[in-house]
Amino acid sequence: MSELKKRVLTGAVVAFAALLLLPLAYAGGANESAKKTSKPKVAVVVKTLTGDVFQLKMAEAARDRAIELGADATIYQAGGQTAVQKLVSILEDLIVQKVDIIVVSPLDSKAVVPAFAEAKKAGIVIVCMDQTAEGNDFVSFISTDNYKAAALGAEYAKKALNGKGNVLVVEGAPGSSVGDQRRDGFKETVVKGSDIKIVGSQSGFWQNDKALEAAQNMLQANPDVDLIFSCSDVMVGGILEAIKMAGKEGTIKVISFDGSKFGVNLILDGKIIADVAQFPVKIGKTAAETGIGVWNKSIKVESLARFIDVGTTLITPENAKSLVDSAF
Amino acid sequence: MANPAHQLGRFTGVIRGAAAAASRALGIWLWVIVFAVVFSLISSHFMSILNLSNVTRQASIFALMATGMTFVIISGGIDLSVGSIISLTSAVFGVMWKMTNNLALSIVAGMMVGLLSGTTIGLLVGFLEIPPFIATFGMMGVGAGLAFAVTPSSISGFPAGFEFLGNGHLFGVPFPVIIAIMAGVIFHFLLRRTRLGVHILATGGSESSALLAGINVRARKLTVYVINGVFASLAGIILCARIRSSYPGIGKDLELDVIAMAVIGGASLVGGSGSVIGALGGALFLTMIQNLFNLIGLYPFMQKVITGGLIVVAVMANQSRRRRRSQAASDVIRASTE
Amino acid sequence: MRRLTEPARQYFSQYGILVWIVVVGLVFSLLSRRFLDLHNLLNIVTQSSIIGILSVGMTLVIITGGGGIDLSVGSIVGISSVTMAMLIIPPSYFRDTASMLSLSVTTMTLVKAVGVALLVGTACGAVNGLFISRVGLPPFIATLGMMITARGVAAYVSAGMPTYGMPKPIVFLGQGRIGGIPLPILIMLVLGVIGYFVLTRTVFGASVIAIGGNRETAKLSGIRVKRILLIVYALNGLLAAVAGIVLTGYGNQAHPEAGALSELYAIGAVVVGGTSLMGGKGGIIGSLLGAILMAEVQNGINILNIPVAYMQPALGTLIVLAVMLDQWQKRRVVSE
């Protein structure tokens, strides 16, 4: 390519890049004018929006509820299940932006403590959802107890197996405390007072394909499995495929976690026997309401509960039909 | 007397000449300045003292990593393991603290991670002639996995003073920025003005010529990976200070960002050229972009698309400048031999 | 005795990776009775086939030398996966359940969806190729940019959500068998054979190798370097899209994050298999073997229920050792 052509091309690409940035000018402007009309600015921060429908729905619910209540709300994502450093940077940038309320799923309970302290100093109201943080700089933590919820699933498993059998667990990604709680809640409860053995427990990385391979390989190692517990609906599809490919369809019971529409439909289709439901939509909504309520003083911080448990339900073939529409 | 078209041509010629000279001298920093101006028009928060402090602080950690990476790339290699080494450093640092409650000892333990990993990679690449991609790909897996084996969850309880390393200010300048600038200046000098630096450049430029010239290529390769490992661990410790805790997954996926920053800063992936000052600029460039996205709340899925495009544009712009220079050089050579 | 073992040793020195596959296999089968049965061995090769398909194209890319590499294949897997799904599932289904389990799909829709998905992959590859050959951008940067951008577009197109329940023909591609052999393995073998043939027996293949050997010489001898580079990267994009479709059928799910990190494993498979990152030499067969080795390690670790924290270190160390052994072998052969 001749020098001239290259320079023209570079110039064109630069101009194009500049054009790409233009819409940002409008986005920026919109955010700025909002401040003047004293609508509260709400930032919803989660670890990732892709490949994690739970986080996606929770974030969207928080944002939509905030907008309903008259606020300006935007969603931010750190971009990964362990992207702690990016999450902290987002919090710092939000302080610069002078948002009024931060509704956040902190990804790790300890790493956000310094950033939370700065935000509190700047007068920002912080509400934690799904994952808690250490310290006192946030006004409330809204979630469900993942450990207790998984224990619910374990109790059902014990009943379904009549207290005896071999169980496999497909875990979440390493480093996910939510995943660890679910795994521990299930594993520790299911062996208590029963003859159930956990013969395999491997990570599915919250990914369908990785869960498929893990389940496939674990089934290979343990031909005599009665039940598989999946720490999330995002992995249960792959697990079912693995069971199918091992020729064991119908002989292995499956219990999952999340309570998404996908999971509930699987119960209705008879493919899994139970799904522990969390309610990301409820969590998001409550978090937004709490944040805005504290901000406009309609909720008194002193009377606010530290931990708001939005509750879990065990979805089974008995109640699945009535719950499918409200599932996320 | 001169006709207006000619005058206009002279005028634009002067502007173009000045722009070309600025571009040549500043490289990626020209873009940093241009984008900073544009960004400040897009968001009134961008130029605030607090934000500038934040951005430079966030960038400084990457700047340290990019400095080390520049050395590796100049030598003709690459290092995919920096992210995992940061994770492992964080984990080891945290566990050491839990066990001994001795901050200094824990920091030393953390730095040892980078030193050991850099040495291992350097030996594999320099002495056993394993391709850098493979050696560092292997180390990446080792680091990431071991981090979680050492401690599956985060560790906190560090003293308040420790946080200063990551979040503190000295005369208004964030402390990590001071460290990054100091390291940048020292290593820029090291690269351009010491025999070590010249040898590394030569090794990357043409390994066979370097060997013929009597350069200890193996030792130089070992050196760059050790340097890179130490920088990675340093960045890891500072990151831990920023979040006042240790987190075993903290470095995941950071290596590609760092490599992009080094290349945007002028490092050529075929080896033989690169710039520490450029790497600092590259780090600031990519961090600025993310900062702007956060300040205006850009739709998350759009962010990746724009970032990918801007990386390509930034390298292209630097590319044509470098190519023009080497083209000019080869033109001169050709002319003088005719 | 030496004369008898000579051809075998020559073969093994060329394919040291095969030795490793056998050694690792032996170790695992000693540690677990469940490792060495036909079903598991088939599983291993099936699990390797996505990386295997990716490594066929990646071999060509890396052989072209000059830093030739493609970091975007993982993202192309993702974007082709969701493109196909989004073109099949009607918006109402997507809103309600993001599941196609009870949807009936016409052949025309399916053909169009798959066609567009393949086209998107090829286009991504072609864009890479253009930036690399015409603008002279380093392949690392060009494909890094594509990797990031394509991931973003994939997330946007699918609103970040996975889609479940693929149409039967797609599921067949991923889970079906012909003559007892899983289809992904067949697809990988067919593509591998075609790739091998192209690389070793066609003018195109010879040109690719020549370009990798010495770009200037290749240009002087009349090879149209720019056009060939463009074709190589475009082909790589096409193969990545094929892998994406097979993967979607295998897991019965289309996902914007599909294929994440697979580019590194594909490159690893190629280099472990003997192709030099400097360019100019290498082989498809080695790359496929490299993919199989990696799947083997992962499989063994799952079967032995080793904690996942040790899987990555094991894989990483093994890859380095495999390359070390291979190089030691090569040096021995040369010195004999």
Side-chain angles (χ1 to χ4, degrees):
Chain A
M1 184 182 257
S2 76
E3 263 319 306
L4 177 64
K5 257 209 257 173
K6 255 202 214 123
R7 257 185 268 178
V8 169
L9 184 61
T10 314
V13 177
V14 171
F16 178 66
L19 272 174
L20 271 182
L21 289 175
L22 252 183
L24 307 193
Y26 287 97
N31 266 355
E32 318 261 292
S33 58
K35 269 215 78 198
K36 301 180 188 126
T37 63
S38 87
K39 276 166 131 193
K41 247 171 106 174
V42 174
V44 179
V45 185
V46 292
K47 54 187 168 177
T48 179
L49 294 170
T50 46
D52 195 335
V53 183
F54 185 96
Q55 298 282 317
L56 177 67
K57 292 293 176 186
M58 182 174 67
E60 285 180 347
R63 176 198 57 194
D64 296 341
R65 187 74 182 119
I67 293 179
E68 261 174 43
L69 291 174
D72 264 326
T74 317
I75 298 181
Y76 299 79
Q77 65 153 355
Q81 292 283 346
T82 56
V84 137
Q85 174 256 344
K86 294 226 162 78
L87 193 97
V88 167
S89 296
I90 291 177
L91 293 175
E92 292 172 345
D93 294 344
L94 288 176
I95 297 173
V96 168
Q97 236 200 90
K98 300 208 179 68
V99 299
D100 301 300
I101 302 159
I102 296 181
V103 175
V104 55
S105 171
L107 196 156
D108 179 73
S109 60
K110 306 183 162 82
V112 291
V113 169
F116 273 20
E118 285 305 306
K120 175 126 186 265
K121 257 197 268 178
I124 300 178
V125 174
I126 306 176
V127 178
C128 286
M129 53 182 188
D130 174 50
Q131 159 81 45
T132 188
E134 289 182 0
N136 287 317
D137 292 324
F138 58 98
V139 299
S140 187
F141 166 48
I142 293 134
S143 176
T144 52
D145 189 327
N146 278 288
Y147 187 96
K148 274 211 283 222
L152 270 184
E155 293 295 338
Y156 195 80
K158 280 198 274 193
K159 263 204 305 213
L161 293 179
N162 282 322
K164 202 162 112 93
N166 291 331
V167 165
L168 290 178
V169 175
V170 178
E171 311 173 9
S176 160
S177 50
V178 160
D180 290 347
Q181 284 163 17
R182 295 180 189 183
R183 169 200 66 200
D184 295 338
F186 182 83
K187 280 166 88 167
E188 287 165 19
T189 313
V190 84
V191 297
K192 265 200 248 187
S194 77
D195 250 335
I196 294 180
K197 278 210 320 219
I198 299 178
V199 293
S201 183
Q202 288 283 323
S203 171
F205 294 91
W206 300 134
Q207 286 176 40
N208 196 53
D209 303 314
K210 295 249 159 58
L212 194 163
E213 283 178 7
Q216 211 173 33
N217 293 334
M218 283 198 287
L219 284 172
Q220 173 67 28
N222 304 281
D224 218 347
V225 167
D226 305 293
L227 183 141
I228 302 185
F229 176 69
S230 168
C231 285
S232 166
D233 282 348
V234 305
M235 299 191 294
V236 78
I239 295 171
L240 289 173
E241 299 297 321
I243 294 178
K244 194 172 26 149
M245 290 198 260
K248 298 238 156 81
E249 201 167 13
T251 65
I252 301 184
K253 303 185 162 68
V254 177
I255 296 183
S256 183
F257 199 111
D258 269 349
S260 65
K261 275 213 168 64
F262 177 57
V264 180
N265 276 311
L266 284 177
I267 296 182
L268 291 173
D269 289 338
K271 296 248 164 56
I272 68 178
I273 63 169
D275 200 357
V276 183
Q278 280 201 303
F279 302 104
V281 172
K282 243 203 259 180
I283 294 176
K285 263 171 81 167
T286 312
E289 288 166 356
T290 310
I292 294 182
V294 170
W295 178 80
N296 62 22
K297 308 279 200 291
S298 63
I299 298 183
K300 287 230 216 2
V301 183
E302 309 80 51
S303 58
L304 187 59
R306 223 47 231 304
F307 172 49
I308 299 181
D309 189 336
V310 155
T312 39
T313 307
L314 186 65
I315 305 187
T316 63
E318 286 82 40
N319 58 16
K321 230 192 183 136
S322 57
L323 289 171
V324 68
D325 288 320
S326 57
F328 69 94
Chain B
M1 160 173 105
N3 80 67
H6 186 64
Q7 291 256 356
L8 186 63
R10 290 263 307 274
F11 181 68
T12 51
V14 167
I15 299 281
R16 261 193 305 171
S23 160
R24 235 175 294 137
L26 295 174
I28 185 64
W29 284 97
L30 177 64
W31 287 95
V32 169
I33 296 173
V34 167
F35 271 54
V37 171
V38 173
F39 286 1
S40 58
L41 294 173
I42 295 179
S43 166
S44 61
H45 296 295
F46 185 77
M47 277 302 194
S48 62
I49 304 277
L50 179 60
N51 192 51
L52 289 179
S53 168
N54 278 347
V55 172
T56 49
R57 184 198 309 277
Q58 291 161 9
S60 61
I61 295 179
F62 283 97
L64 286 170
M65 293 193 275
T67 303
M69 186 67 76
T70 299
F71 274 77
V72 167
I73 295 181
I74 287 179
S75 79
I78 202 162
D79 191 343
L80 296 173
S81 67
V82 285
S84 309
I85 294 306
I86 288 186
S87 294
L88 185 58
T89 301
S90 176
V92 167
F93 170 68
V95 163
M96 197 48 107
W97 166 259
K98 219 164 51 162
M99 292 196 313
T100 68
N101 260 38
N102 182 332
L103 194 62
L105 195 61
S106 309
I107 292 183
V108 168
M111 297 296 295
M112 290 302 299
V113 170
L115 191 66
L116 284 172
S117 118
T119 309
T120 310
I121 298 176
L123 289 174
L124 287 173
V125 171
F127 289 81
L128 290 181
E129 287 170 29
I130 309 275
F133 189 96
I134 290 290
T136 58
F137 181 57
M139 186 59 78
M140 177 171 100
V142 170
L146 279 186
F148 278 102
V150 161
T151 169
S153 57
S154 54
I155 295 173
S156 65
F158 297 96
F162 177 58
E163 203 189 316
F164 179 81
L165 185 61
N167 285 338
H169 297 252
L170 217 54
F171 313 117
V173 181
F175 196 66
V177 175
I178 297 181
I179 299 185
I181 293 181
M182 273 176 24
V185 166
I186 294 176
F187 279 82
H188 173 82
F189 181 78
L190 196 90
L191 185 65
R192 298 280 165 209
R193 298 257 191 276
T194 68
R195 197 143 51 115
L196 175 66
V198 170
H199 283 189
I200 294 175
L201 282 161
T203 305
S206 162
E207 203 169 308
S208 41
S209 313
L211 275 170
L212 284 174
I215 294 177
N216 189 346
V217 162
R218 296 168 151 193
R220 299 295 167 250
K221 285 191 179 177
L222 174 61
T223 311
V224 296
Y225 286 101
V226 171
I227 292 178
N228 194 31
V230 170
F231 265 116
S233 276
L234 180 61
I237 302 280
I238 296 181
L239 256 181
C240 288
R242 288 238 304 139
I243 61 174
R244 207 171 152 190
S245 57
S246 89
Y247 184 72
I250 198 169
K252 186 160 192 281
D253 295 337
L254 293 184
E255 47 277 331
L256 288 180
D257 285 343
V258 174
I259 295 174
M261 290 167 184
V263 174
I264 290 176
S268 165
L269 283 164
V270 300
S273 63
S275 156
V276 169
I277 306 288
L280 299 182
L284 188 56
F285 182 70
L286 282 185
T287 310
M288 263 169 61
I289 295 174
Q290 185 60 53
N291 172 257
L292 181 74
F293 289 165
N294 290 341
L295 286 180
I296 64 172
L298 182 65
Y299 190 49
F301 299 152
M302 219 46 268
Q303 292 184 18
K304 282 204 162 159
V305 176
I306 298 186
T307 306
L310 283 175
I311 290 180
V312 169
V313 168
V315 176
M316 263 176 66
N318 259 7
Q319 186 91 345
S320 47
R321 176 183 58 93
R322 219 181 329 136
R323 189 153 296 181
R324 242 174 283 148
R325 240 195 303 169
S326 66
Q327 178 79 354
S330 53
D331 283 345
V332 167
I333 294 176
R334 216 177 299 140
S336 66
T337 54
E338 275 163 13
Chain C
M1 187 58 174
R2 269 192 85 122
R3 207 127 28 98
L4 279 175
T5 60
E6 191 52 45
R9 278 168 64 225
Q10 282 260 357
Y11 192 75
F12 272 134
S13 77
Q14 227 197 338
Y15 293 119
I17 189 84
L18 205 55
V19 173
W20 255 136
I21 293 181
V22 169
V23 166
V24 169
L26 277 173
V27 171
F28 278 142
S29 46
L30 287 175
L31 290 173
S32 165
R33 238 172 307 129
R34 303 289 307 168
F35 185 81
L36 205 62
D37 79 15
L38 184 62
H39 192 246
N40 191 45
L41 296 180
L42 270 182
N43 269 354
I44 292 176
V45 185
T46 311
Q47 288 167 5
S48 74
S49 46
I50 300 295
I51 303 289
I53 296 174
L54 291 176
S55 71
V56 172
M58 189 70 78
T59 309
L60 288 172
V61 164
I62 293 182
I63 288 183
T64 64
I69 207 162
D70 192 340
L71 295 174
S72 65
V73 289
S75 301
I76 296 181
V77 164
I79 199 175
S80 53
S81 174
V82 296
T83 302
M84 176 179 72
M86 286 295 111
L87 286 176
I88 298 178
I89 193 171
S92 55
Y93 269 76
F94 189 70
R95 249 198 331 267
D96 283 338
T97 70
S99 167
M100 297 199 267
L101 282 171
S102 42
L103 185 64
S104 59
V105 182
T106 68
T107 321
M108 198 72 255
T109 317
L110 193 58
V111 168
K112 258 199 289 184
V114 171
V116 172
L118 292 177
L119 205 65
V120 165
T122 314
C124 289
V127 168
N128 281 337
L130 281 173
F131 270 108
I132 292 169
S133 62
R134 299 269 158 200
V135 179
L137 215 57
F140 192 97
I141 291 294
T143 58
L144 177 68
M146 176 60 73
M147 171 175 124
I148 299 175
T149 305
R151 222 24 115 179
V153 174
Y156 179 69
V157 156
S158 62
M161 294 208 295
T163 311
Y164 306 93
M166 294 293 125
K168 287 217 188 19
I170 303 288
V171 177
F172 181 72
L173 273 180
Q175 298 179 8
R177 292 180 178 219
I178 295 184
I181 306 181
L183 220 55
I185 298 182
L186 287 174
I187 296 178
M188 170 174 76
L189 287 178
V190 165
L191 289 173
V193 165
I194 296 178
Y196 178 77
F197 183 78
V198 164
L199 192 61
T200 56
R201 301 258 189 276
T202 66
V203 173
F204 177 76
S207 310
V208 169
I209 299 179
I211 292 176
N214 186 325
R215 205 164 280 204
E216 281 309 314
T217 314
K219 212 193 302 193
L220 288 173
S221 58
I223 295 178
R224 306 180 61 174
V225 174
K226 295 194 177 154
R227 171 186 290 194
I228 297 206
L229 282 178
L230 175 61
I231 296 178
V232 166
Y233 280 93
L235 272 177
N236 200 30
L238 175 61
L239 282 170
V242 169
I245 295 176
V246 173
L247 182 64
T248 307
Y250 184 67
N252 206 2
Q253 185 189 69
H255 199 294
E257 293 287 311
L261 281 188
S262 55
E263 58 276 336
L264 288 183
Y265 285 100
I267 296 170
V270 171
V271 178
V272 161
T275 302
S276 164
L277 279 171
M278 299 292 139
K281 60 184 167 81
I284 304 255
I285 300 180
S287 307
L288 294 184
L289 290 176
I292 292 178
L293 176 66
M294 292 200 279
E296 186 186 22
V297 173
Q298 222 161 307
N299 173 277
I301 291 191
N302 281 149
I303 286 190
L304 293 173
N305 211 26
I306 296 175
V308 65
Y310 296 110
M311 166 154 72
Q312 286 165 296
L315 203 59
T317 316
L318 229 90
I319 290 181
V320 173
L321 287 176
V323 173
M324 267 172 64
L325 183 81
D326 198 46
Q327 289 191 321
W328 176 73
Q329 273 276 22
K330 288 211 176 84
R331 241 171 283 161
R332 273 189 59 210
V333 170
V334 165
S335 66
E336 269 168 15

